Amino acid sequence: MNNLNSVLVEGNLVRDPELSYTSKGTAVCKFSLACNRSFKQDDQVQKEVSYFDISTWTRLAEVCGEYLKKGRGVRVVGRLKQDRWSDSDGKPHSRVAIVAEHVEFKPQINHDKAGEGEEKAPEGAAEEKEEREEREDQEEKEASSF
């Protein structure tokens, strides 16, 4: 039985994402997310920033690699994954990262048109495109099986 391992974070990309492919051709996209938090302590507003490493796989990775850029706001739903290794001196290391299962793109305003704000991509565009392409792939497979 699996234990609950679910995380939801919202923030902005720290740098442009890195899209790569495994030796078997599976797409992997990695990016870092900065999440801001404000809280009150001793009648003073404090600010805190947390940074999270995110990885996406397969078609979601390709969509993120194509559309995400530094500064873009996203909401990520995924799971925590711990990597453990030992360095050349035998010292153990550990890192916890988020494996994204769902990425929502927050609306991005384009200010290029004389002060008029215009959305660049609707929220959830990555998921809609991914679902459409999966349906098309499935239809192609079904058509070729006849």
PDB file of all heavy atoms in Angstrom, residues 25-64:
ATOM      1  N   GLY A  25      15.219   8.057 -25.049  1.00  0.00           N
ATOM      2  CA  GLY A  25      14.416   9.049 -25.755  1.00  0.00           C
ATOM      3  C   GLY A  25      13.294   9.676 -24.955  1.00  0.00           C
ATOM      4  O   GLY A  25      12.477  10.405 -25.505  1.00  0.00           O
ATOM      5  N   THR A  26      13.245   9.453 -23.654  1.00  0.00           N
ATOM      6  CA  THR A  26      12.201  10.040 -22.808  1.00  0.00           C
ATOM      7  C   THR A  26      12.577  11.477 -22.449  1.00  0.00           C
ATOM      8  O   THR A  26      13.688  11.735 -21.988  1.00  0.00           O
ATOM      9  CB  THR A  26      12.020   9.220 -21.516  1.00  0.00           C
ATOM     10  OG1 THR A  26      11.737   7.870 -21.864  1.00  0.00           O
ATOM     11  CG2 THR A  26      10.909   9.785 -20.655  1.00  0.00           C
ATOM     12  N   ALA A  27      11.646  12.395 -22.650  1.00  0.00           N
ATOM     13  CA  ALA A  27      11.895  13.810 -22.349  1.00  0.00           C
ATOM     14  C   ALA A  27      11.878  14.052 -20.843  1.00  0.00           C
ATOM     15  O   ALA A  27      11.038  13.515 -20.123  1.00  0.00           O
ATOM     16  CB  ALA A  27      10.842  14.681 -23.017  1.00  0.00           C
ATOM     17  N   VAL A  28      12.828  14.875 -20.387  1.00  0.00           N
ATOM     18  CA  VAL A  28      12.916  15.294 -18.989  1.00  0.00           C
ATOM     19  C   VAL A  28      13.159  16.802 -18.985  1.00  0.00           C
ATOM     20  O   VAL A  28      14.068  17.282 -19.648  1.00  0.00           O
ATOM     21  CB  VAL A  28      14.083  14.610 -18.244  1.00  0.00           C
ATOM     22  CG1 VAL A  28      14.123  15.042 -16.792  1.00  0.00           C
ATOM     23  CG2 VAL A  28      14.028  13.113 -18.367  1.00  0.00           C
ATOM     24  N   CYS A  29      12.333  17.532 -18.244  1.00  0.00           N
ATOM     25  CA  CYS A  29      12.518  18.972 -18.125  1.00  0.00           C
ATOM     26  C   CYS A  29      12.713  19.301 -16.650  1.00  0.00           C
ATOM     27  O   CYS A  29      11.919  18.888 -15.807  1.00  0.00           O
ATOM     28  CB  CYS A  29      11.311  19.717 -18.679  1.00  0.00           C
ATOM     29  SG  CYS A  29      11.527  21.512 -18.668  1.00  0.00           S
ATOM     30  N   LYS A  30      13.782  20.035 -16.359  1.00  0.00           N
ATOM     31  CA  LYS A  30      14.079  20.417 -14.972  1.00  0.00           C
ATOM     32  C   LYS A  30      14.083  21.932 -14.858  1.00  0.00           C
ATOM     33  O   LYS A  30      14.586  22.626 -15.739  1.00  0.00           O
ATOM     34  CB  LYS A  30      15.430  19.846 -14.544  1.00  0.00           C
ATOM     35  CG  LYS A  30      15.435  18.336 -14.526  1.00  0.00           C
ATOM     36  CD  LYS A  30      16.742  17.788 -14.046  1.00  0.00           C
ATOM     37  CE  LYS A  30      16.671  16.266 -14.015  1.00  0.00           C
ATOM     38  NZ  LYS A  30      17.876  15.675 -13.444  1.00  0.00           N
ATOM     39  N   PHE A  31      13.509  22.410 -13.760  1.00  0.00           N
ATOM     40  CA  PHE A  31      13.527  23.844 -13.484  1.00  0.00           C
ATOM     41  C   PHE A  31      13.452  24.066 -11.979  1.00  0.00           C
ATOM     42  O   PHE A  31      13.097  23.164 -11.230  1.00  0.00           O
ATOM     43  CB  PHE A  31      12.406  24.590 -14.217  1.00  0.00           C
ATOM     44  CG  PHE A  31      11.007  24.092 -13.970  1.00  0.00           C
ATOM     45  CD1 PHE A  31      10.224  24.630 -12.967  1.00  0.00           C
ATOM     46  CD2 PHE A  31      10.465  23.083 -14.759  1.00  0.00           C
ATOM     47  CE1 PHE A  31       8.926  24.179 -12.750  1.00  0.00           C
ATOM     48  CE2 PHE A  31       9.165  22.634 -14.560  1.00  0.00           C
ATOM     49  CZ  PHE A  31       8.399  23.179 -13.548  1.00  0.00           C
ATOM     50  N   SER A  32      13.821  25.265 -11.558  1.00  0.00           N
ATOM     51  CA  SER A  32      13.771  25.637 -10.147  1.00  0.00           C
ATOM     52  C   SER A  32      12.684  26.670  -9.947  1.00  0.00           C
ATOM     53  O   SER A  32      12.504  27.568 -10.778  1.00  0.00           O
ATOM     54  CB  SER A  32      15.105  26.203  -9.678  1.00  0.00           C
ATOM     55  OG  SER A  32      16.090  25.203  -9.701  1.00  0.00           O
ATOM     56  N   LEU A  33      11.987  26.548  -8.828  1.00  0.00           N
ATOM     57  CA  LEU A  33      10.865  27.410  -8.513  1.00  0.00           C
ATOM     58  C   LEU A  33      11.146  28.162  -7.217  1.00  0.00           C
ATOM     59  O   LEU A  33      11.608  27.570  -6.245  1.00  0.00           O
ATOM     60  CB  LEU A  33       9.628  26.523  -8.343  1.00  0.00           C
ATOM     61  CG  LEU A  33       8.261  27.130  -8.522  1.00  0.00           C
ATOM     62  CD1 LEU A  33       8.095  27.645  -9.936  1.00  0.00           C
ATOM     63  CD2 LEU A  33       7.206  26.079  -8.235  1.00  0.00           C
ATOM     64  N   ALA A  34      10.889  29.465  -7.217  1.00  0.00           N
ATOM     65  CA  ALA A  34      11.002  30.283  -6.008  1.00  0.00           C
ATOM     66  C   ALA A  34       9.592  30.528  -5.479  1.00  0.00           C
ATOM     67  O   ALA A  34       8.717  30.995  -6.217  1.00  0.00           O
ATOM     68  CB  ALA A  34      11.677  31.611  -6.317  1.00  0.00           C
ATOM     69  N   CYS A  35       9.359  30.196  -4.220  1.00  0.00           N
ATOM     70  CA  CYS A  35       8.054  30.386  -3.583  1.00  0.00           C
ATOM     71  C   CYS A  35       8.209  31.389  -2.453  1.00  0.00           C
ATOM     72  O   CYS A  35       9.012  31.183  -1.535  1.00  0.00           O
ATOM     73  CB  CYS A  35       7.535  29.060  -3.018  1.00  0.00           C
ATOM     74  SG  CYS A  35       7.310  27.801  -4.269  1.00  0.00           S
ATOM     75  N   ASN A  36       7.456  32.473  -2.533  1.00  0.00           N
ATOM     76  CA  ASN A  36       7.519  33.541  -1.534  1.00  0.00           C
ATOM     77  C   ASN A  36       6.500  33.311  -0.435  1.00  0.00           C
ATOM     78  O   ASN A  36       5.392  32.846  -0.692  1.00  0.00           O
ATOM     79  CB  ASN A  36       7.268  34.894  -2.185  1.00  0.00           C
ATOM     80  CG  ASN A  36       8.299  35.221  -3.225  1.00  0.00           C
ATOM     81  OD1 ASN A  36       9.491  35.094  -2.999  1.00  0.00           O
ATOM     82  ND2 ASN A  36       7.842  35.624  -4.400  1.00  0.00           N
ATOM     83  N   ARG A  37       6.884  33.674   0.766  1.00  0.00           N
ATOM     84  CA  ARG A  37       5.989  33.571   1.923  1.00  0.00           C
ATOM     85  C   ARG A  37       6.185  34.798   2.794  1.00  0.00           C
ATOM     86  O   ARG A  37       7.319  35.199   3.067  1.00  0.00           O
ATOM     87  CB  ARG A  37       6.310  32.310   2.717  1.00  0.00           C
ATOM     88  CG  ARG A  37       5.515  32.178   3.988  1.00  0.00           C
ATOM     89  CD  ARG A  37       5.874  30.872   4.730  1.00  0.00           C
ATOM     90  NE  ARG A  37       5.163  30.799   5.980  1.00  0.00           N
ATOM     91  CZ  ARG A  37       5.704  31.002   7.182  1.00  0.00           C
ATOM     92  NH1 ARG A  37       6.986  31.276   7.290  1.00  0.00           N
ATOM     93  NH2 ARG A  37       4.971  30.928   8.266  1.00  0.00           N
ATOM     94  N   SER A  38       5.091  35.401   3.218  1.00  0.00           N
ATOM     95  CA  SER A  38       5.141  36.525   4.150  1.00  0.00           C
ATOM     96  C   SER A  38       4.431  36.117   5.432  1.00  0.00           C
ATOM     97  O   SER A  38       3.431  35.411   5.389  1.00  0.00           O
ATOM     98  CB  SER A  38       4.435  37.748   3.562  1.00  0.00           C
ATOM     99  OG  SER A  38       5.076  38.175   2.400  1.00  0.00           O
ATOM    100  N   PHE A  39       4.964  36.569   6.551  1.00  0.00           N
ATOM    101  CA  PHE A  39       4.343  36.280   7.836  1.00  0.00           C
ATOM    102  C   PHE A  39       4.688  37.397   8.813  1.00  0.00           C
ATOM    103  O   PHE A  39       5.626  38.162   8.599  1.00  0.00           O
ATOM    104  CB  PHE A  39       4.799  34.916   8.378  1.00  0.00           C
ATOM    105  CG  PHE A  39       6.286  34.796   8.575  1.00  0.00           C
ATOM    106  CD1 PHE A  39       6.861  35.025   9.822  1.00  0.00           C
ATOM    107  CD2 PHE A  39       7.112  34.440   7.516  1.00  0.00           C
ATOM    108  CE1 PHE A  39       8.225  34.912  10.004  1.00  0.00           C
ATOM    109  CE2 PHE A  39       8.473  34.320   7.689  1.00  0.00           C
ATOM    110  CZ  PHE A  39       9.040  34.555   8.930  1.00  0.00           C
ATOM    111  N   LYS A  40       3.887  37.493   9.856  1.00  0.00           N
ATOM    112  CA  LYS A  40       4.073  38.540  10.841  1.00  0.00           C
ATOM    113  C   LYS A  40       4.778  37.957  12.059  1.00  0.00           C
ATOM    114  O   LYS A  40       4.379  36.910  12.577  1.00  0.00           O
ATOM    115  CB  LYS A  40       2.719  39.121  11.238  1.00  0.00           C
ATOM    116  CG  LYS A  40       2.774  40.482  11.827  1.00  0.00           C
ATOM    117  CD  LYS A  40       1.381  41.068  11.929  1.00  0.00           C
ATOM    118  CE  LYS A  40       1.478  42.535  12.254  1.00  0.00           C
ATOM    119  NZ  LYS A  40       0.176  43.158  12.326  1.00  0.00           N
ATOM    120  N   GLN A  41       5.826  38.640  12.501  1.00  0.00           N
ATOM    121  CA  GLN A  41       6.568  38.220  13.690  1.00  0.00           C
ATOM    122  C   GLN A  41       6.943  39.467  14.480  1.00  0.00           C
ATOM    123  O   GLN A  41       7.598  40.369  13.953  1.00  0.00           O
ATOM    124  CB  GLN A  41       7.822  37.445  13.272  1.00  0.00           C
ATOM    125  CG  GLN A  41       8.590  36.870  14.433  1.00  0.00           C
ATOM    126  CD  GLN A  41       9.779  36.053  13.952  1.00  0.00           C
ATOM    127  OE1 GLN A  41      10.385  36.353  12.935  1.00  0.00           O
ATOM    128  NE2 GLN A  41      10.095  35.023  14.683  1.00  0.00           N
ATOM    129  N   ASP A  42       6.483  39.527  15.723  1.00  0.00           N
ATOM    130  CA  ASP A  42       6.745  40.695  16.581  1.00  0.00           C
ATOM    131  C   ASP A  42       6.294  41.994  15.910  1.00  0.00           C
ATOM    132  O   ASP A  42       7.032  42.978  15.860  1.00  0.00           O
ATOM    133  CB  ASP A  42       8.228  40.791  16.943  1.00  0.00           C
ATOM    134  CG  ASP A  42       8.724  39.577  17.693  1.00  0.00           C
ATOM    135  OD1 ASP A  42       7.931  39.004  18.477  1.00  0.00           O
ATOM    136  OD2 ASP A  42       9.895  39.190  17.499  1.00  0.00           O
ATOM    137  N   ASP A  43       5.082  42.005  15.360  1.00  0.00           N
ATOM    138  CA  ASP A  43       4.491  43.162  14.692  1.00  0.00           C
ATOM    139  C   ASP A  43       5.274  43.645  13.467  1.00  0.00           C
ATOM    140  O   ASP A  43       5.126  44.776  13.038  1.00  0.00           O
ATOM    141  CB  ASP A  43       4.312  44.324  15.680  1.00  0.00           C
ATOM    142  CG  ASP A  43       3.281  43.991  16.744  1.00  0.00           C
ATOM    143  OD1 ASP A  43       2.346  43.217  16.427  1.00  0.00           O
ATOM    144  OD2 ASP A  43       3.396  44.501  17.866  1.00  0.00           O
ATOM    145  N   GLN A  44       6.125  42.806  12.948  1.00  0.00           N
ATOM    146  CA  GLN A  44       6.882  43.129  11.732  1.00  0.00           C
ATOM    147  C   GLN A  44       6.559  42.077  10.666  1.00  0.00           C
ATOM    148  O   GLN A  44       6.467  40.896  10.972  1.00  0.00           O
ATOM    149  CB  GLN A  44       8.393  43.096  12.007  1.00  0.00           C
ATOM    150  CG  GLN A  44       8.846  44.049  13.076  1.00  0.00           C
ATOM    151  CD  GLN A  44       9.639  45.185  12.486  1.00  0.00           C
ATOM    152  OE1 GLN A  44      10.056  45.132  11.343  1.00  0.00           O
ATOM    153  NE2 GLN A  44       9.826  46.224  13.278  1.00  0.00           N
ATOM    154  N   VAL A  45       6.408  42.530   9.443  1.00  0.00           N
ATOM    155  CA  VAL A  45       6.173  41.595   8.343  1.00  0.00           C
ATOM    156  C   VAL A  45       7.523  41.037   7.887  1.00  0.00           C
ATOM    157  O   VAL A  45       8.435  41.796   7.556  1.00  0.00           O
ATOM    158  CB  VAL A  45       5.446  42.282   7.166  1.00  0.00           C
ATOM    159  CG1 VAL A  45       5.328  41.336   5.989  1.00  0.00           C
ATOM    160  CG2 VAL A  45       4.071  42.771   7.607  1.00  0.00           C
ATOM    161  N   GLN A  46       7.633  39.731   7.918  1.00  0.00           N
ATOM    162  CA  GLN A  46       8.849  39.040   7.497  1.00  0.00           C
ATOM    163  C   GLN A  46       8.591  38.372   6.149  1.00  0.00           C
ATOM    164  O   GLN A  46       7.478  37.941   5.870  1.00  0.00           O
ATOM    165  CB  GLN A  46       9.239  37.968   8.515  1.00  0.00           C
ATOM    166  CG  GLN A  46       9.442  38.485   9.920  1.00  0.00           C
ATOM    167  CD  GLN A  46      10.659  39.376  10.028  1.00  0.00           C
ATOM    168  OE1 GLN A  46      11.698  39.111   9.445  1.00  0.00           O
ATOM    169  NE2 GLN A  46      10.514  40.472  10.773  1.00  0.00           N
ATOM    170  N   LYS A  47       9.632  38.280   5.332  1.00  0.00           N
ATOM    171  CA  LYS A  47       9.513  37.609   4.044  1.00  0.00           C
ATOM    172  C   LYS A  47      10.527  36.480   3.988  1.00  0.00           C
ATOM    173  O   LYS A  47      11.644  36.616   4.485  1.00  0.00           O
ATOM    174  CB  LYS A  47       9.737  38.579   2.893  1.00  0.00           C
ATOM    175  CG  LYS A  47       8.641  39.616   2.804  1.00  0.00           C
ATOM    176  CD  LYS A  47       8.784  40.482   1.588  1.00  0.00           C
ATOM    177  CE  LYS A  47       7.633  41.472   1.555  1.00  0.00           C
ATOM    178  NZ  LYS A  47       7.629  42.267   0.348  1.00  0.00           N
ATOM    179  N   GLU A  48      10.080  35.398   3.351  1.00  0.00           N
ATOM    180  CA  GLU A  48      10.919  34.211   3.262  1.00  0.00           C
ATOM    181  C   GLU A  48      10.754  33.626   1.852  1.00  0.00           C
ATOM    182  O   GLU A  48       9.649  33.603   1.316  1.00  0.00           O
ATOM    183  CB  GLU A  48      10.435  33.229   4.331  1.00  0.00           C
ATOM    184  CG  GLU A  48      10.909  31.824   4.219  1.00  0.00           C
ATOM    185  CD  GLU A  48      10.283  30.971   5.311  1.00  0.00           C
ATOM    186  OE1 GLU A  48      10.722  31.068   6.466  1.00  0.00           O
ATOM    187  OE2 GLU A  48       9.357  30.213   4.994  1.00  0.00           O
ATOM    188  N   VAL A  49      11.843  33.195   1.265  1.00  0.00           N
ATOM    189  CA  VAL A  49      11.789  32.577  -0.053  1.00  0.00           C
ATOM    190  C   VAL A  49      12.323  31.156   0.059  1.00  0.00           C
ATOM    191  O   VAL A  49      13.373  30.926   0.657  1.00  0.00           O
ATOM    192  CB  VAL A  49      12.628  33.355  -1.096  1.00  0.00           C
ATOM    193  CG1 VAL A  49      12.549  32.683  -2.465  1.00  0.00           C
ATOM    194  CG2 VAL A  49      12.179  34.796  -1.179  1.00  0.00           C
ATOM    195  N   SER A  50      11.593  30.205  -0.506  1.00  0.00           N
ATOM    196  CA  SER A  50      12.045  28.818  -0.569  1.00  0.00           C
ATOM    197  C   SER A  50      12.226  28.455  -2.029  1.00  0.00           C
ATOM    198  O   SER A  50      11.448  28.876  -2.892  1.00  0.00           O
ATOM    199  CB  SER A  50      11.015  27.877   0.060  1.00  0.00           C
ATOM    200  OG  SER A  50      10.858  28.163   1.425  1.00  0.00           O
ATOM    201  N   TYR A  51      13.254  27.666  -2.306  1.00  0.00           N
ATOM    202  CA  TYR A  51      13.553  27.241  -3.669  1.00  0.00           C
ATOM    203  C   TYR A  51      13.371  25.733  -3.776  1.00  0.00           C
ATOM    204  O   TYR A  51      13.833  24.984  -2.912  1.00  0.00           O
ATOM    205  CB  TYR A  51      14.985  27.627  -4.046  1.00  0.00           C
ATOM    206  CG  TYR A  51      15.211  29.114  -4.019  1.00  0.00           C
ATOM    207  CD1 TYR A  51      15.670  29.750  -2.857  1.00  0.00           C
ATOM    208  CD2 TYR A  51      14.943  29.891  -5.133  1.00  0.00           C
ATOM    209  CE1 TYR A  51      15.862  31.122  -2.828  1.00  0.00           C
ATOM    210  CE2 TYR A  51      15.132  31.265  -5.107  1.00  0.00           C
ATOM    211  CZ  TYR A  51      15.595  31.877  -3.958  1.00  0.00           C
ATOM    212  OH  TYR A  51      15.775  33.229  -3.921  1.00  0.00           O
ATOM    213  N   PHE A  52      12.712  25.305  -4.853  1.00  0.00           N
ATOM    214  CA  PHE A  52      12.439  23.890  -5.053  1.00  0.00           C
ATOM    215  C   PHE A  52      12.878  23.470  -6.451  1.00  0.00           C
ATOM    216  O   PHE A  52      12.614  24.176  -7.427  1.00  0.00           O
ATOM    217  CB  PHE A  52      10.939  23.597  -4.888  1.00  0.00           C
ATOM    218  CG  PHE A  52      10.428  23.934  -3.529  1.00  0.00           C
ATOM    219  CD1 PHE A  52       9.737  25.111  -3.306  1.00  0.00           C
ATOM    220  CD2 PHE A  52      10.651  23.088  -2.452  1.00  0.00           C
ATOM    221  CE1 PHE A  52       9.266  25.437  -2.051  1.00  0.00           C
ATOM    222  CE2 PHE A  52      10.189  23.407  -1.188  1.00  0.00           C
ATOM    223  CZ  PHE A  52       9.496  24.578  -0.981  1.00  0.00           C
ATOM    224  N   ASP A  53      13.544  22.323  -6.533  1.00  0.00           N
ATOM    225  CA  ASP A  53      13.904  21.739  -7.822  1.00  0.00           C
ATOM    226  C   ASP A  53      12.738  20.880  -8.290  1.00  0.00           C
ATOM    227  O   ASP A  53      12.230  20.052  -7.549  1.00  0.00           O
ATOM    228  CB  ASP A  53      15.160  20.877  -7.698  1.00  0.00           C
ATOM    229  CG  ASP A  53      16.392  21.712  -7.387  1.00  0.00           C
ATOM    230  OD1 ASP A  53      16.460  22.862  -7.859  1.00  0.00           O
ATOM    231  OD2 ASP A  53      17.287  21.203  -6.682  1.00  0.00           O
ATOM    232  N   ILE A  54      12.329  21.094  -9.548  1.00  0.00           N
ATOM    233  CA  ILE A  54      11.175  20.401 -10.133  1.00  0.00           C
ATOM    234  C   ILE A  54      11.645  19.629 -11.351  1.00  0.00           C
ATOM    235  O   ILE A  54      12.461  20.133 -12.133  1.00  0.00           O
ATOM    236  CB  ILE A  54      10.086  21.401 -10.590  1.00  0.00           C
ATOM    237  CG1 ILE A  54       9.801  22.472  -9.530  1.00  0.00           C
ATOM    238  CG2 ILE A  54       8.840  20.686 -11.059  1.00  0.00           C
ATOM    239  CD1 ILE A  54       9.017  22.029  -8.357  1.00  0.00           C
ATOM    240  N   SER A  55      11.113  18.424 -11.542  1.00  0.00           N
ATOM    241  CA  SER A  55      11.349  17.699 -12.792  1.00  0.00           C
ATOM    242  C   SER A  55      10.013  17.233 -13.343  1.00  0.00           C
ATOM    243  O   SER A  55       9.101  16.873 -12.601  1.00  0.00           O
ATOM    244  CB  SER A  55      12.303  16.519 -12.588  1.00  0.00           C
ATOM    245  OG  SER A  55      11.746  15.571 -11.714  1.00  0.00           O
ATOM    246  N   THR A  56       9.898  17.298 -14.678  1.00  0.00           N
ATOM    247  CA  THR A  56       8.720  16.800 -15.377  1.00  0.00           C
ATOM    248  C   THR A  56       9.197  15.783 -16.400  1.00  0.00           C
ATOM    249  O   THR A  56      10.352  15.829 -16.838  1.00  0.00           O
ATOM    250  CB  THR A  56       7.945  17.927 -16.084  1.00  0.00           C
ATOM    251  OG1 THR A  56       8.802  18.544 -17.044  1.00  0.00           O
ATOM    252  CG2 THR A  56       7.459  18.966 -15.097  1.00  0.00           C
ATOM    253  N   TRP A  57       8.315  14.885 -16.790  1.00  0.00           N
ATOM    254  CA  TRP A  57       8.694  13.796 -17.689  1.00  0.00           C
ATOM    255  C   TRP A  57       7.739  13.699 -18.871  1.00  0.00           C
ATOM    256  O   TRP A  57       6.623  14.184 -18.825  1.00  0.00           O
ATOM    257  CB  TRP A  57       8.682  12.476 -16.921  1.00  0.00           C
ATOM    258  CG  TRP A  57       9.777  12.407 -15.911  1.00  0.00           C
ATOM    259  CD1 TRP A  57       9.775  12.959 -14.655  1.00  0.00           C
ATOM    260  CD2 TRP A  57      11.055  11.804 -16.065  1.00  0.00           C
ATOM    261  NE1 TRP A  57      10.966  12.722 -14.035  1.00  0.00           N
ATOM    262  CE2 TRP A  57      11.770  12.010 -14.867  1.00  0.00           C
ATOM    263  CE3 TRP A  57      11.658  11.103 -17.098  1.00  0.00           C
ATOM    264  CZ2 TRP A  57      13.059  11.532 -14.685  1.00  0.00           C
ATOM    265  CZ3 TRP A  57      12.945  10.619 -16.913  1.00  0.00           C
ATOM    266  CH2 TRP A  57      13.637  10.843 -15.718  1.00  0.00           C
ATOM    267  N   THR A  58       8.165  13.052 -19.910  1.00  0.00           N
ATOM    268  CA  THR A  58       7.440  12.723 -21.142  1.00  0.00           C
ATOM    269  C   THR A  58       6.875  13.972 -21.806  1.00  0.00           C
ATOM    270  O   THR A  58       7.564  14.970 -21.952  1.00  0.00           O
ATOM    271  CB  THR A  58       6.354  11.641 -20.892  1.00  0.00           C
ATOM    272  OG1 THR A  58       5.382  12.130 -19.975  1.00  0.00           O
ATOM    273  CG2 THR A  58       6.963  10.357 -20.341  1.00  0.00           C
ATOM    274  N   ARG A  59       5.629  13.924 -22.217  1.00  0.00           N
ATOM    275  CA  ARG A  59       5.044  15.031 -22.985  1.00  0.00           C
ATOM    276  C   ARG A  59       4.937  16.307 -22.157  1.00  0.00           C
ATOM    277  O   ARG A  59       5.126  17.414 -22.675  1.00  0.00           O
ATOM    278  CB  ARG A  59       3.664  14.613 -23.524  1.00  0.00           C
ATOM    279  CG  ARG A  59       3.044  15.629 -24.426  1.00  0.00           C
ATOM    280  CD  ARG A  59       3.870  15.870 -25.685  1.00  0.00           C
ATOM    281  NE  ARG A  59       3.359  17.044 -26.375  1.00  0.00           N
ATOM    282  CZ  ARG A  59       4.104  17.959 -26.946  1.00  0.00           C
ATOM    283  NH1 ARG A  59       5.410  17.848 -26.943  1.00  0.00           N
ATOM    284  NH2 ARG A  59       3.556  18.994 -27.532  1.00  0.00           N
ATOM    285  N   LEU A  60       4.640  16.182 -20.871  1.00  0.00           N
ATOM    286  CA  LEU A  60       4.592  17.362 -20.002  1.00  0.00           C
ATOM    287  C   LEU A  60       5.952  18.062 -19.983  1.00  0.00           C
ATOM    288  O   LEU A  60       6.026  19.288 -19.982  1.00  0.00           O
ATOM    289  CB  LEU A  60       4.154  16.976 -18.587  1.00  0.00           C
ATOM    290  CG  LEU A  60       4.050  18.107 -17.575  1.00  0.00           C
ATOM    291  CD1 LEU A  60       3.074  19.185 -18.043  1.00  0.00           C
ATOM    292  CD2 LEU A  60       3.628  17.560 -16.213  1.00  0.00           C
ATOM    293  N   ALA A  61       7.032  17.292 -20.004  1.00  0.00           N
ATOM    294  CA  ALA A  61       8.378  17.867 -20.034  1.00  0.00           C
ATOM    295  C   ALA A  61       8.590  18.679 -21.310  1.00  0.00           C
ATOM    296  O   ALA A  61       9.148  19.782 -21.278  1.00  0.00           O
ATOM    297  CB  ALA A  61       9.426  16.765 -19.929  1.00  0.00           C
ATOM    298  N   GLU A  62       8.148  18.146 -22.437  1.00  0.00           N
ATOM    299  CA  GLU A  62       8.322  18.856 -23.704  1.00  0.00           C
ATOM    300  C   GLU A  62       7.526  20.160 -23.725  1.00  0.00           C
ATOM    301  O   GLU A  62       8.007  21.190 -24.197  1.00  0.00           O
ATOM    302  CB  GLU A  62       7.915  17.955 -24.867  1.00  0.00           C
ATOM    303  CG  GLU A  62       8.877  16.795 -25.053  1.00  0.00           C
ATOM    304  CD  GLU A  62       8.420  15.792 -26.090  1.00  0.00           C
ATOM    305  OE1 GLU A  62       7.195  15.706 -26.358  1.00  0.00           O
ATOM    306  OE2 GLU A  62       9.285  15.082 -26.622  1.00  0.00           O
ATOM    307  N   VAL A  63       6.309  20.124 -23.203  1.00  0.00           N
ATOM    308  CA  VAL A  63       5.475  21.330 -23.160  1.00  0.00           C
ATOM    309  C   VAL A  63       6.097  22.372 -22.238  1.00  0.00           C
ATOM    310  O   VAL A  63       6.183  23.556 -22.580  1.00  0.00           O
ATOM    311  CB  VAL A  63       4.036  20.982 -22.727  1.00  0.00           C
ATOM    312  CG1 VAL A  63       3.211  22.242 -22.487  1.00  0.00           C
ATOM    313  CG2 VAL A  63       3.365  20.105 -23.770  1.00  0.00           C
ATOM    314  N   CYS A  64       6.565  21.948 -21.068  1.00  0.00           N
ATOM    315  CA  CYS A  64       7.215  22.882 -20.139  1.00  0.00           C
ATOM    316  C   CYS A  64       8.486  23.463 -20.752  1.00  0.00           C
ATOM    317  O   CYS A  64       8.755  24.660 -20.637  1.00  0.00           O
ATOM    318  CB  CYS A  64       7.538  22.185 -18.825  1.00  0.00           C
ATOM    319  SG  CYS A  64       6.093  21.860 -17.800  1.00  0.00           S
TER     320      CYS A  64
END
